[in-house]
Amino acid sequence: MAAATSALQERLMAALFDAPLPPLESVPDLHGLGLSAADLFDWIDTQLTSRVLDVHSRELQAMGESFYTIGSAGHEGNAAIAAALKPTDMAFLHYRSGAFFIQRQKQLPGSTPIYDMLLSFAASADDPISHGRHKVLGSKNLFVPPQTSTIASHLPKAAGMAHSIGLTKRLSVTGEVPSDSVVVCSLGDASANHSTAQGAINATCWAAYQNVPMPIIFVCEDNGIGISTKTPHGWIEAGFRQRPGLHYIACDGRNVLDIYRAAQEAERIARKRRQPVFLHMKCVRLYGHAGSDAEMTYLSKEQIAHNELHDPLRTSLALLEAYEIADRETMRGYLDALFARVRAVGREAIKRPKLADAAAVMASITPERPAKPLPPSLNPAQRAALFSHEKHNLGKPQTLNKLLNWALLDLMAQYPNTVMMGEDIGKKGGVYGVTSRLIQQFGPNRVINTLLDEQSILGMAIGCAHNGLLPIPEIQFLAYVHNAEDQIRGEAATLSFFSSGQFTNPMVIRIAGLAYQRGFGGHFHNDNSFAVFRDLPGVILVCPSNGESAAKLLREAVRLADEQKRVVIFLEPIALYNQKDLCEPGDGKWSFAYPAPEERIAFGEVSSFTMDEARIADITIVTYGNGYYLSRQAEEVLRGDGIHVKVVDLHWLHPLPMDALITSIGDSRRVLIVDECRETGSVSEELWTRLQEQDFAGKLGRLCADDSFIPLAKAAYHVLPAKEAIVSAARAMVKGAIG
């Protein structure tokens, strides 16, 4: 490995200093471009630094000291894009944008780009952005959130960030970036084919076509290949040149001056006209996909040689000679010295400490943040005006959807930086009326009707959160989130972890879901699987069972997002939205009074129902959502049998509120877990395990849905827990103990 790496350096030196340099098609006047000789030399220094870091990363890998070798070789011209932009323009960078990042670091006095990059390669705890958790390009001070995506999943949030810049201005909210900022987002030609990239660019065009300000530059670093799969010649240009609402600009990625020309034009359109640009940078990829990639297995020697002939560093050296800034012999010595300097810094970087233990690794998942006062609620006169359209309903018990709507009214008034986004949430008020009249109260800048694309809805939320807003996105049905789950899993959930808590994207994601919908819609609308959320470190999952708990939990969810910068999934049981009664038609036992605005159910707190708190329950039923509703029905039947039941509503499904649950179970020696989701992969599995780990010595039972998709009509009830099944299971567990 060491010899091969040395050969790589020798190969580079031969390509730059022994072979004839490429002819230049033109040598424009530098002053006419607004540049000096020092500017050009500075960019070329950045290009060379990026290349030497790539080579040294592979040298360190051979020593077992570097753990990331996907480099920027062949893409170094993106340094000129950084030079064309302001350091306050937020940048979501592709992993081959190393030269861009180095050039931006130069714009911040006191930066140490070589040392920082080597700390990142070496997975050192001193790495300024991730503290050794990943090799990422990122800096809080430089407005570069770290990306770990290889499939362009950062594009939706980049589009969301671009949308948020005008939004904060219209809402008079102070954002994280200046109001004239643009967003730059780089991607590869291969990942441009991914549905996430296509969806994000489509959403950007959809908004721009309607004259919504979208100041974003998508930089496609097109090297013609994705690992080993070639991009068809002309494919990127054909796909993006004629997109409605999108400006297309191409440039020669081998020539920093042509890149700068194109970047200046892109910046002008994005900053002055607030319109999106697709900047197509045609470049080459050198040294394979990564250190472990043997490109000779899929590229011929002639193809590899052709790519090396088009190395952008060769064109840069030709520019230095053409402008008589430096000759090749001077640059040979310069590059030798740069290699020596990088290696010297590398020797120090690999000595720096690594993450010491699991606690250190996990410290940035949910760092505890200082408590802060809640924003003031409206005064009585203001609330009366806010709820004037509901004055005939105030004071009367209401259903889940109505009390959620009221809670949102209060919260959006209390938190002026909240914004909602989702399909049909505007004048329609959502499919189930939960967002009814919110747009009339708060306007279309805070209640935003989106296109039908869950990736873009969540990306908009993440991007808005980057800019100081508090998003409450809505996903119309639980099953619809699965095509966009990586926006939660790979983007929202990981940001604090990979940035050491420096970047966050707090939000409350409202999702309508779960089953029992009286035959409506089949499995796409009766979806009882949310396992996708339950293994996400740091993400909170909460599920109410009635209007009272929903209002209190939603308030706590917003507090957690605002104060603790958490990502909260708020799962709303569709079947209970309009449920008024519990056991008999007209009994009104599932309609509740609206709790006062200051009332909340604290994070990790459970609720319980029992007819006699002083008496030890014969059996405790632990459940949530529809299961709590059905278990309350079962409790009335069991009470008639003389069985004393406590029903515990978990509320918090991830992480599970085990301390509060154990306290609520108390001395009860029988626990029946009722889980409306599937037997495999459901909350009940974790509850069972954790109760055993807590040394629960009593009898445990479990009642779940079958491992089935939910069919249409009454057939759905064949595979879901029912009141009768709960009664039967409870009776069996206490058989012989009563009477």
Side-chain angles (χ1 to χ4, degrees):
M1 289 293 291
T5 304
S6 177
L8 186 61
Q9 180 187 349
E10 292 175 4
R11 200 164 109 200
L12 172 63
M13 300 298 282
L16 295 183
F17 302 112
D18 297 341
L21 292 177
L24 298 172
E25 293 184 5
S26 63
V27 184
D29 177 55
L30 284 179
H31 294 292
L33 293 172
L35 299 174
S36 67
D39 291 326
L40 179 59
F41 189 86
D42 181 53
W43 302 348
I44 294 172
D45 169 75
T46 295
Q47 291 183 289
L48 292 169
T49 301
S50 179
R51 181 67 62 85
V52 172
L53 283 166
D54 282 353
V55 172
H56 190 47
S57 175
R58 299 185 183 205
E59 293 174 345
L60 291 175
Q61 182 191 46
M63 299 163 54
E65 297 288 359
S66 176
F67 307 96
Y68 194 92
T69 55
I70 298 178
S72 303
H75 291 233
E76 293 91 352
N78 53 42
I81 301 174
L85 298 171
K86 297 179 180 180
T88 52
D89 291 331
M90 192 164 279
F92 298 86
L93 297 180
H94 180 243
Y95 50 61
R96 298 200 192 278
S97 298
F100 179 108
F101 186 61
I102 294 169
Q103 187 64 36
R104 177 161 286 194
Q105 284 183 295
K106 288 181 174 183
Q107 296 170 309
L108 182 67
S111 292
T112 53
I114 292 174
Y115 187 48
D116 292 352
M117 294 280 274
L118 287 167
L119 289 171
S120 186
F121 292 155
S124 169
D126 288 348
D127 169 23
I129 186 64
S130 78
H131 290 189
R133 295 178 180 90
H134 204 291
K135 187 273 178 185
V136 288
L137 302 173
S139 168
K140 179 68 173 176
N141 293 333
L142 291 168
F143 297 88
V144 182
Q147 312 306 317
T148 60
S149 168
T150 60
I151 55 168
S153 63
H154 57 297
L155 268 68
K157 64 182 178 183
M161 177 68 197
H163 184 272
S164 77
I165 294 171
L167 192 60
T168 54
K169 187 175 182 179
R170 295 192 295 275
L171 296 176
S172 299
V173 171
T174 301
E176 294 290 319
V177 299
S179 60
D180 69 341
S181 295
V182 304
V183 174
V184 60
C185 177
S186 56
L187 68 151
D189 53 294
S191 56
N193 296 299
H194 199 277
S195 63
T196 314
Q198 292 287 330
I201 293 172
N202 179 73
T204 300
C205 295
W206 184 85
Y209 188 76
Q210 300 173 80
N211 297 315
V212 175
M214 292 296 290
I216 186 169
I217 303 170
F218 293 107
V219 179
C220 183
E221 300 180 14
D222 180 3
N223 60 32
I225 196 166
I227 305 184
S228 67
T229 303
K230 291 183 180 180
T231 297
H233 180 71
W235 174 249
I236 295 298
E237 181 175 357
F240 294 99
R241 177 181 278 280
Q242 301 297 331
R243 293 291 291 269
L246 185 67
H247 297 271
Y248 173 89
I249 300 173
C251 62
D252 181 354
R254 299 166 300 176
N255 188 320
V256 289
L257 293 182
D258 194 51
I259 297 168
Y260 185 70
R261 169 203 60 79
Q264 276 192 311
E265 176 65 8
E267 188 261 358
R268 184 189 65 80
I269 294 169
R271 198 179 309 280
K272 301 299 183 184
R273 296 169 61 179
R274 317 306 285 166
Q275 293 172 349
V277 181
F278 189 90
L279 179 54
H280 185 189
M281 178 178 142
K282 301 173 185 178
C283 51
V284 295
R285 188 195 73 189
L286 303 173
Y287 311 155
H289 175 70
S292 59
D293 176 38
E295 61 179 341
M296 68 284 299
T297 61
Y298 53 84
L299 293 179
S300 68
K301 289 182 179 180
E302 292 75 19
Q303 289 171 319
I304 294 171
H306 177 269
N307 288 341
E308 293 190 352
L309 192 64
H310 291 275
D311 186 334
L313 299 187
R314 287 168 43 77
T315 302
S316 292
L317 292 184
L319 287 170
L320 290 179
E321 288 198 339
Y323 290 109
E324 299 182 347
I325 298 171
D327 59 30
R328 279 211 281 179
E329 273 311 301
T330 300
M331 293 310 297
R332 183 194 294 270
Y334 189 89
L335 187 55
D336 279 335
L338 184 56
F339 264 107
R341 180 154 58 99
V342 167
R343 288 183 178 125
V345 176
R347 286 193 292 272
E348 296 303 313
I350 63 177
K351 297 176 186 176
R352 301 307 302 160
K354 306 294 194 289
L355 290 167
D357 50 35
V361 171
M362 297 168 63
S364 64
I365 296 175
T366 56
E368 188 70 22
R369 300 178 189 275
K372 66 178 186 179
L374 296 173
S377 301
L378 299 183
N379 62 42
Q382 291 170 324
R383 288 195 75 236
L386 182 67
F387 283 85
S388 60
H389 63 287
E390 292 284 13
K391 59 185 178 182
H392 59 290
N393 285 323
L394 291 173
K396 300 176 184 177
Q398 301 292 334
T399 56
L400 169 62
N401 61 346
K402 178 65 76 174
L403 293 188
L404 273 172
N405 176 252
W406 289 2
L408 286 168
L409 274 169
D410 266 330
L411 286 165
M412 292 193 73
Q414 185 179 9
Y415 293 82
N417 64 330
T418 52
V419 290
M420 298 185 63
M421 59 280 292
E423 185 193 359
D424 299 316
I425 67 169
K427 290 183 179 180
K428 180 176 174 60
V431 174
Y432 298 101
V434 176
T435 60
S436 178
R437 293 191 64 84
L438 293 180
I439 195 168
Q440 286 87 348
Q441 293 288 351
F442 300 105
N445 288 319
R446 294 189 65 195
V447 183
I448 304 166
N449 258 348
T450 68
L451 74 174
L452 195 163
D453 178 22
E454 285 73 26
Q455 290 181 139
S456 294
I457 293 169
L458 293 173
M460 178 187 288
I462 298 170
C464 284
H466 269 300
N467 204 20
L469 296 171
L470 185 59
I472 307 178
E474 176 182 292
I475 300 298
Q476 203 165 79
F477 290 99
L478 176 59
Y480 294 0
V481 82
H482 298 306
N483 71 72
E485 63 193 40
D486 188 54
Q487 288 301 300
I488 302 172
R489 173 181 295 275
E491 297 297 334
T494 62
L495 184 61
S496 178
F497 180 70
F498 287 120
S499 69
S500 305
Q502 297 172 71
F503 285 96
T504 59
N505 32 222
M507 65 189 69
V508 178
I509 305 171
R510 293 183 44 251
I511 305 177
L514 302 176
Y516 295 99
Q517 293 175 56
R518 292 178 174 80
F520 170 64
H523 77 283
F524 262 105
H525 300 90
N526 268 333
D527 184 5
N528 66 337
S529 173
F530 53 81
V532 66
F533 305 128
R534 289 182 44 247
D535 69 341
L536 297 183
V539 170
I540 296 169
L541 175 61
V542 56
C543 179
S545 61
N546 58 71
E548 180 183 14
S549 69
K552 294 177 180 179
L553 289 167
L554 187 59
R555 293 165 185 163
E556 178 70 348
V558 171
R559 182 195 71 81
L560 288 165
D562 179 60
E563 177 190 287
Q564 294 300 314
K565 308 305 177 188
R566 301 294 290 270
V567 176
V568 185
I569 312 289
F570 196 85
L571 183 59
E572 300 168 9
I574 295 172
L576 299 176
Y577 270 145
N578 293 295
Q579 186 59 250
K580 297 179 180 179
D581 307 318
L582 177 60
C583 295
E584 301 292 338
D587 67 19
K589 291 183 179 180
W590 220 247
S591 300
F592 296 86
Y594 183 52
E598 66 275 7
E599 293 184 46
R600 294 179 288 113
I601 296 175
F603 180 40
E605 180 181 323
V606 302
S607 301
S608 64
F609 174 86
T610 179
M611 293 302 294
D612 186 355
E613 284 285 356
R615 180 180 165 191
I616 297 173
D618 298 315
I619 186 169
T620 298
I621 300 175
V622 178
T623 186
Y624 63 91
N626 291 291
Y628 182 73
Y629 175 75
L630 295 169
S631 296
R632 286 287 303 276
Q633 292 180 330
E635 184 276 334
E636 290 212 2
V637 176
L638 293 165
R639 195 192 318 158
D641 294 347
I643 298 175
H644 179 49
V645 179
K646 175 184 275 192
V647 186
V648 178
D649 192 345
L650 287 168
H651 304 312
W652 309 97
L653 305 184
H654 179 65
L656 286 170
M658 292 308 301
D659 291 344
L661 176 59
I662 293 296
T663 300
S664 187
I665 291 172
D667 294 327
S668 179
R669 306 323 295 156
R670 298 175 189 83
V671 171
L672 174 62
I673 301 167
V674 175
D675 193 333
E676 63 184 282
C677 292
R678 301 168 194 164
E679 183 177 9
T680 302
S682 64
V683 170
S684 63
E685 291 182 326
E686 184 182 356
L687 277 169
W688 187 289
T689 300
R690 292 194 178 275
L691 285 169
Q692 296 282 17
E693 290 173 344
Q694 298 269 358
D695 295 324
F696 176 72
K699 187 175 183 181
L700 278 174
R702 184 164 76 114
L703 180 64
C704 307
D706 292 327
D707 283 347
S708 171
F709 298 108
I710 308 300
L712 193 62
K714 293 181 179 179
Y717 293 90
H718 297 323
V719 295
L720 294 169
K723 175 190 74 174
E724 293 77 14
I726 299 170
V727 169
S728 178
R731 282 172 175 164
M733 288 184 70
V734 299
K735 185 178 181 181
I738 303 298

